[in-house]
Amino acid sequence: MADQSSHTRFRKFLDRIRAESPLMPHVFITALSALIVLRWADFQDAELEAMAVFDGEPYEPVLPGAMHWRAWYDSYPEILHEFLTDRLPCELSRFGNAPHNPMAAHLSRLPFALEPLKRLPVQRLADLVRLLAELPFETPSDRRQVLELLDYVLESFQDRHSGDAGTPSAIARLMAMLASPAPGERVYDPCFGSGGLLTAAIDEAITKMEPGRVRYAEPVLSVTGVELNPSAYLIGLTRLVLSGIDDPRLELADSLARAPMTGLGRNGFDVVLADPPWGWKAKLDNRYGLEHYPVMTQDGTGLFIQHTMAHLRPEGRAVIAVPYGLLFRGGADQKLRRWLLENHTVEAVIALPETAFLPLTSIKSSLLVIRRGGQTRRVRMVNAEPFFEKGKNRKPADLQDHKARTLVTSIHSAAPAEWAWDVDENTLTETGYDLTPQRRNLSTLDAILTTLRNSMDVLRLKDCCRVTAGRSI
């Protein structure tokens, strides 16, 4: 009961601060994430130190003793305010010289997120830290509940000024189901944003764990990600460590600037999940660093697709969210589709409803399901719109888990369905490698009539009325 009350108090406090805070919503979310990471780092240091003592080995904590959460969280409000907005950021900035230590590298990226806290009233910041300290944090289940609170904040506070609105949870779950990561596999997201796809992959892998196996005794997945936006990076880091990944291999960088298989993932990843930023254009006036892409294109999504395939192991699988236009446009997009079909196995193309990515955009979108290597002989085309429930008040369309499972089963099945059918390679070649999920063997009128016959009788006009020529007056 006490644990539940602490979560309730924290949620009510967040609702109040949302209305009163002088900070922009995305700034507050980033600052809150930084505080959670500080508590997690303290917990990790304590765990590792206890293990070292048990084994009779020396241990040097990442943070100096005075910097540990336990040393300052209950300080007087004025002292706490000065410590968090001045002294601690200066100390953390020095960790940038320790790239060999992942935790130190993560901590070195917190100062920019802590600095805006000086705009919070002294007592309000003290209340925030105190309520966060009251939340249970010792067990994996405790940290999962903190993750639920952070996700509540993301859903309630997120705005379009953040630079990363995140992949809607329904789409992230569907993409994870399609990729079906198994425990122990290596998963990569080249633009991980707020971590929605990677946390969804973790949740999906957990469903495959053997009954009775102790969860979180070891990482469920090996998780790697690259992100260019510092705020999104920090939020994603926070969500992953709360999901049970104590050593996420995350990098603050531009993934498109790296050559294939350098640095991260030398042996290739089992799974890549990606929701690239749409509408982003590469500057091709300076092509240095882009020579390794098989198809030169200005479209950022096209570059991310090629980056994805280069980082998969042979037979590795990818699920990528793309704008609908990429499936049928000519020029470089057509060359990219041909390259994909001739050098890899495009297993499925799934058309999503226009409201799938609200409130960020209402651009029609699709998912590509691809395996590295081989050659595409047949593509499963899917219209997923009937499975979604339309959102209200600019909310994204929702997809219930049981409907998502049914949809995924249909996608992987060879049997034709009303919403799923196959297109062979000859048809794709004849249509200019068009990958839009539309019935090519039916005219538009035939397709409409076929749909109507499922819900009503459709008769020819001559069978139900007399048709006569009109008269001009």
Side-chain angles (χ1 to χ4, degrees), residues 422-433:
D422 292 339
V423 177
D424 60 42
E425 60 178 322
N426 291 332
T427 302
L428 293 171
T429 301
E430 292 169 0
T431 57
Y433 311 100

Side-chain angles (χ1 to χ4, degrees), residues 43-255:
F43 174 80
Q44 281 292 100
D45 254 351
E47 287 271 287
L48 294 173
E49 185 175 8
M51 292 171 60
V53 170
F54 181 81
D55 295 334
E57 298 178 355
Y59 177 75
E60 183 177 350
V62 175
L63 280 171
M67 300 292 122
H68 281 139
W69 171 279
R70 72 198 93 151
W72 51 257
Y73 79 89
D74 58 351
S75 302
Y76 287 112
E78 292 78 8
I79 296 175
L80 179 64
H81 196 278
E82 186 274 338
F83 176 83
L84 281 175
T85 60
D86 186 12
R87 185 182 169 196
L88 183 59
C90 290
E91 187 71 28
L92 295 178
S93 63
R94 300 173 186 172
F95 288 177
N97 297 322
H100 59 283
N101 188 317
M103 185 185 292
H106 295 322
L107 292 173
S108 71
R109 295 176 181 131
L110 300 188
F112 87 96
L114 295 173
E115 190 275 338
L117 290 175
K118 63 179 59 175
R119 284 179 269 159
L120 283 182
V122 170
Q123 188 58 51
R124 187 63 77 199
L125 177 57
D127 291 342
L128 174 61
V129 172
R130 174 179 55 81
L131 289 170
L132 184 57
E134 289 179 2
L135 298 176
F137 208 82
E138 285 66 36
T139 69
S141 178
D142 290 338
R143 295 188 288 281
R144 275 275 173 168
Q145 291 186 50
V146 177
L147 173 60
E148 291 177 6
L149 281 174
L150 179 60
D151 286 346
Y152 167 77
V153 178
L154 281 169
E155 183 178 352
S156 302
F157 283 54
Q158 189 64 277
D159 63 11
R160 298 183 66 175
H161 299 286
S162 65
D164 178 79
T167 305
S169 58
I171 302 300
R173 292 196 307 271
L174 175 59
M175 293 175 69
M177 290 179 191
L178 288 166
S180 191
E185 287 194 312
R186 304 174 70 235
V187 180
Y188 172 51
D189 184 343
C191 42
F192 69 84
S194 56
L197 291 176
L198 292 175
T199 54
I202 295 167
D203 292 339
E204 182 63 20
I206 288 174
T207 66
K208 297 178 174 60
M209 297 179 74
E210 297 178 6
R213 175 180 168 183
V214 179
R215 290 184 177 181
Y216 312 111
E218 58 186 37
V220 181
L221 296 172
S222 174
V223 172
T224 299
V226 182
E227 174 55 43
L228 187 59
N229 182 318
S231 295
Y233 168 95
L234 182 52
I235 296 170
L237 166 67
T238 309
R239 298 183 75 213
L240 286 169
V241 298
L242 293 177
S243 296
I245 307 298
D246 293 332
D247 183 23
R249 296 170 176 84
L250 304 181
E251 186 175 351
L252 183 63
D254 180 1
S255 57

Side-chain angles (χ1 to χ4, degrees), residues 307-339:
H307 175 89
T308 291
M309 304 317 297
H311 284 72
L312 282 170
R313 64 166 175 77
E315 291 297 311
R317 54 210 187 273
V319 182
I320 309 170
V322 301
Y324 206 70
L326 184 137
L327 304 179
F328 63 83
R329 288 192 298 251
D333 287 340
Q334 185 180 44
K335 292 179 182 178
L336 175 64
R337 296 193 301 272
R338 179 175 182 175
W339 174 80

